[in-house]
Amino acid sequence: MKHPQDWNPDALKTLREKLAKAPQRFTEPNLQKAFQLRRDKALADIISMVKNAADAQSPLYTAPERVDRAIQKILAVQTFTSDQLAWIERIRTHLQENLSIDQDDFESQPIFSDYGGWGAPLRSSAIVCPH
C-alpha cells in the first residue's frame, strides 16, 4: 500500500469491482458516504479509504487533494518549461478523475491523444522518468 506504482488502473478497477460485489455493497459512493459520516471527510478517494482502513493514522484525501499534493512535490524540486507544465496539467486533470495513469491512456484519452499521445511528451522531454 505504500507504493503508488502499485495503484495502477487494473489494480484500482479490480479493487472497485471486488468491493462492489461484497454482500455489503462497498461501492465507492457508499464508502464515501460512510467515511463522510465516520471521519467527516466528503469524497475521500478509494486509495485513501483503503489506506485509512488499514492504518487509521493514514490521512484521507479527495482525488484532487491527493493529486495536487503529488504535483506540488514535483514542482517544488524541479523547474519545468511551459510545454512541460502543460503536460503536467494534463496529467493532473487525468489523475484527478482516474487516480492512475498508464501508457495506454496517452493513446486512448483525448486529453493526451489530441496533443500527440505517448510520443509527444517524450519527444519534448516533458516527462522525465526517474530511474
Side-chain angles (χ1 to χ4, degrees), residues 101-109 112 118:
I101 192 169
D102 64 16
Q103 186 173 342
D104 291 340
D105 293 329
F106 283 84
E107 299 304 330
S108 65
Q109 300 299 310
F112 303 126
W118 179 252

Side-chain angles (χ1 to χ4, degrees), residues 10 14 19 23 26 46 53 58 68 71 77 82 93 96 99 108 120:
D10 291 336
T14 299
L19 289 171
F26 293 128
I46 191 76
S58 183
D68 287 344
I71 297 290
V77 298
S82 59
T93 300
Q96 287 178 339
L99 286 177
S108 65

Side-chain angles (χ1 to χ4, degrees), residues 67-85:
V67 172
D68 287 344
R69 286 175 51 87
I71 297 290
Q72 289 307 315
K73 287 179 185 177
I74 293 167
L75 295 176
V77 298
Q78 188 169 341
T79 303
F80 296 93
T81 67
S82 59
D83 188 44
Q84 291 170 325
L85 289 171

Side-chain angles (χ1 to χ4, degrees), residues 13 24 30 43 47 63-64 70 90 93 103 112 127 130:
K13 180 181 177 189
Q24 299 86 350
N30 287 345
L43 302 176
I47 296 170
R90 289 181 194 110
T93 300
Q103 186 173 342
F112 303 126
I127 296 179

Side-chain angles (χ1 to χ4, degrees), residues 17-69:
E17 289 171 353
K18 286 184 179 184
L19 289 171
K21 289 179 183 177
Q24 299 86 350
R25 290 193 20 88
F26 293 128
T27 63
E28 197 163 351
N30 287 345
L31 289 169
Q32 288 172 333
K33 288 177 193 172
F35 272 85
Q36 170 63 33
L37 292 172
R38 295 284 288 164
R39 302 282 188 346
D40 197 30
K41 182 69 174 191
L43 302 176
D45 69 45
I46 191 76
I47 296 170
S48 287
M49 289 185 282
V50 170
K51 285 184 169 188
N52 186 265
D55 176 6
Q57 299 302 312
S58 183
L60 289 169
Y61 298 117
T62 63
E65 289 171 337
R66 174 175 301 287
V67 172
D68 287 344
R69 286 175 51 87

